[in-house]
């Protein structure tokens, strides 16, 4: 009998990769979003996580054994982030818990668990890197902690197991996603090639010179499915990155070379991508119309503010994977290959022009 899963946030980078993995493994997959796709291989569930009534109706006949929580909504303040994102988790678990079908709930958060929320990001007394799960929570309000607490409370009430997964910046394809470095850099490089502008690293000297890591969406999906099926992973939190480390001083020229352009020599000046791309909407529309691209609206593809937050950090960020490795998770991906595979997919799907 096929296993049954529900993915909240199925249209995002994390959710779509998880759906692909589960479908390939033979699961029956329900995909919940406000506007799920009708032809992505999963059973679409259209609902608003902030509307309990819509959830109840949409999930009336859905009885998943595993729930994957891969969604959130950014709000103007952390207080609102906490209120809104905790409510979304709570509403969904309130709708599913009484069915008594759930045996496992997997929640995806991220490294803001260690670095702090947007309002205090990478500031104050931060834990030393590499980040490890036993470093615990920072003494600041954080919507990730509120989401976790909703899962923990529901697990106590309904008896299911849980896992929490903390990726670093995720590489993957999803149009309209608010946190999308891979596609943002692809759009930026394409514009630089079109206009002859220099391909400038937008971040800090610390990020240019220091070690870092990233998470391919397929690597995250592999860990999510592994944790749902591994008894030793029950009720545990796990970091999840590709397994390699790199410096942007090494990666940036490699990305430039893929697009057939030169990377400008970094002079330690921070040049935020949000400022560099501020007036690029018309340029991108021109490229899209000439090349027959699928998405002419640059704001649906690029999230410069998020890329700036990652590449402008004042500290080196490296993530320890020992805990998951000790329990048996051994998957690995090379991050440069992950970028190149994403770029190839974006070309094939007519999201960016061929270099």
């Amino acid at each position: 009998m096929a296993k049954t899963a529900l993915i909240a946030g199925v249209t995002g980078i994390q959710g779509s990769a998880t759906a692909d993995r589960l479908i390939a493994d033979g699961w029956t997959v329900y995909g919940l979003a406000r506007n799920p796709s009708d032809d992505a291989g999963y059973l679409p569930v259209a609902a608003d996580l902030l509307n309990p009534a819509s959830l109840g109706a949409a999930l009336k006949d859905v009885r998943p054994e595993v729930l994957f929580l891969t969604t959130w909504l950014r709000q103007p303040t952390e207080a609102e982030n906490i209120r809104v994102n905790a409510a979304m988790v709570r509403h969904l678990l309130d709708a599913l818990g009484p069915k008594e079908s759930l045996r496992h709930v997997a929640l995806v958060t991220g490294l803001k668990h260690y670095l702090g929320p947007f309002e205090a990001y990478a500031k104050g007394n931060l834990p030393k890197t590499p980040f490890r799960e036993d470093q615990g929570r920072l003494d600041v309000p954080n919507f990730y902690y509120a989401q976790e607490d909703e899962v923990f409370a529901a697990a106590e009430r309904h008896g299911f197991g849980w896992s929490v997964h903390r990726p670093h910046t995720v590489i993957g394809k999803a149009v309209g996603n608010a946190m999308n470095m891979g596609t943002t850099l692809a759009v930026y490089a394409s514009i630089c090639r079109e206009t002859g502008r220099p391909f400038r690293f937008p971040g800090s000297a610390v990020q240019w010179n220091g070690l870092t890591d990233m998470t391919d969406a397929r690597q995250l999906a592999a860990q999510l499915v592994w944790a749902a099926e591994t008894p030793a992973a029950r009720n545990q939190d796990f970091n999840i990155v590709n397994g390699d480390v790199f410096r942007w001083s090494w990666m940036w020229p490699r990305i430039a070379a893929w697009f057939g352009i030169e990377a400008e020599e970094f002079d330690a000046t921070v040049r935020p991508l949000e400022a560099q791309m501020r007036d690029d909407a018309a340029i991108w529309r021109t490229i899209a119309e000439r090349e027959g691209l699928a998405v002419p609206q640059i704001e649906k593809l690029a999230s410069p503010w998020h890329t700036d937050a990652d590449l402008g950090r004042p500290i080196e960020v490296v993530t320890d994977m020992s805990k998951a490795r000790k329990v048996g998770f051994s998957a690995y991906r090379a991050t440069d290959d992950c970028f190149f595979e994403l770029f190839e997919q974006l070309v094939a799907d007519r999201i960016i022009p061929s270099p």
Side-chain angles (χ1 to χ4, degrees):
M1 177 177 275
K3 300 169 185 176
T4 303
L6 172 65
I7 302 172
V10 73
T11 58
I13 292 175
Q14 302 167 353
S16 59
T18 303
D20 289 345
R21 174 62 182 254
L22 291 169
I23 291 166
D25 289 350
W27 290 58
T28 297
V29 179
Y30 291 90
L32 189 153
R34 282 171 291 181
N35 297 291
S37 174
D38 291 325
D39 58 359
Y42 55 77
L43 301 170
V45 178
D48 182 350
L49 291 175
L50 291 173
N51 185 335
S54 81
L55 271 176
L59 296 171
K60 180 174 177 290
D61 298 318
V62 180
R63 297 178 60 84
E65 59 179 293
V66 180
L67 169 64
F68 298 95
L69 291 163
T70 67
T71 188
W72 71 289
L73 287 175
R74 189 183 184 192
Q75 304 300 310
T77 67
E78 192 59 20
E80 277 297 289
N81 274 329
I82 291 169
R83 184 186 68 82
V84 169
N85 289 285
M88 292 197 303
V89 173
R90 183 170 61 255
H91 293 163
L92 184 52
L93 292 174
D94 284 349
L96 293 175
K99 297 175 183 283
E100 298 185 351
S101 65
L102 285 176
R103 63 171 178 79
H104 189 86
V105 172
L107 170 67
V108 179
T109 61
L111 293 197
K112 285 189 290 296
H113 181 95
Y114 307 110
L115 287 163
F118 288 114
E119 293 176 5
Y121 188 67
K123 299 175 183 176
N125 186 25
L126 297 172
K128 302 296 184 183
T129 58
F131 293 138
R132 286 197 171 198
E133 295 88 345
D134 60 8
Q135 290 168 322
R137 296 180 175 185
L138 299 175
D139 188 21
V140 293
N142 190 322
F143 82 87
Y144 283 170
Y145 307 159
Q147 287 182 310
E148 287 181 346
D149 289 341
E150 293 292 344
V151 171
F152 301 158
E156 285 290 323
R157 291 194 303 271
H158 302 294
F160 56 75
W162 54 264
S163 58
V164 175
H165 305 262
R166 300 185 187 124
H168 197 167
T169 304
V170 178
I171 308 168
K173 181 199 167 190
V175 173
N177 193 276
M179 296 164 58
N180 195 336
M181 180 189 286
T183 304
T184 297
L185 293 181
V187 169
Y188 173 57
S190 298
I191 290 172
C192 288
R193 188 178 65 237
E194 172 79 8
T195 62
R197 280 162 34 187
F199 186 62
R200 289 174 167 162
F201 183 71
S204 67
V206 171
Q207 293 305 306
W208 180 257
N209 294 311
L211 290 172
T212 192
D213 48 33
M214 294 184 75
T215 308
D216 187 89
R218 297 163 296 180
Q219 177 82 340
L220 171 60
Q223 193 190 66
L224 288 170
V225 177
W226 165 81
E229 299 186 309
T230 302
R234 181 183 174 94
N235 299 348
Q236 298 292 327
D237 52 353
F238 295 108
N239 295 331
I240 174 62
V241 287
N242 288 334
D244 63 347
V245 294
F246 64 92
R247 303 179 199 277
W248 279 105
S249 59
W250 177 82
M251 184 69 77
W252 196 253
R254 291 177 68 77
I255 292 175
W258 196 94
F259 285 92
I261 57 179
E262 292 288 331
E264 183 180 74
E265 188 67 27
F266 180 61
D267 64 1
T269 301
V270 177
R271 298 182 173 90
L273 210 56
E274 196 163 24
Q276 292 191 54
M277 300 181 71
R278 181 173 293 127
D279 301 318
D280 284 349
I283 296 171
W284 183 255
R285 184 171 288 277
T286 297
I287 296 171
E289 291 175 353
R290 186 188 69 223
E291 301 291 337
L293 302 182
V295 184
Q297 304 94 338
I298 195 171
E299 66 274 10
K300 291 187 177 180
L301 299 175
S303 51
W305 64 271
H306 178 256
T307 298
D308 286 339
D310 273 2
L311 299 185
R313 288 180 298 215
I315 62 170
E316 184 177 84
V317 176
V318 182
T319 314
D320 189 273
M321 281 281 289
S322 297
K323 183 177 180 180
R325 300 293 190 219
K326 290 176 180 177
V327 185
F329 181 77
S330 59
Y332 166 90
R333 290 183 182 270
T335 300
D336 54 339
D337 288 343
C338 295
F339 272 118
F340 302 154
E341 289 162 9
L342 171 63
F343 299 155
E344 290 166 1
Q345 182 182 7
L346 294 175
V347 170
D349 292 344
R350 296 187 302 110
I351 301 297
I352 62 171
S354 178

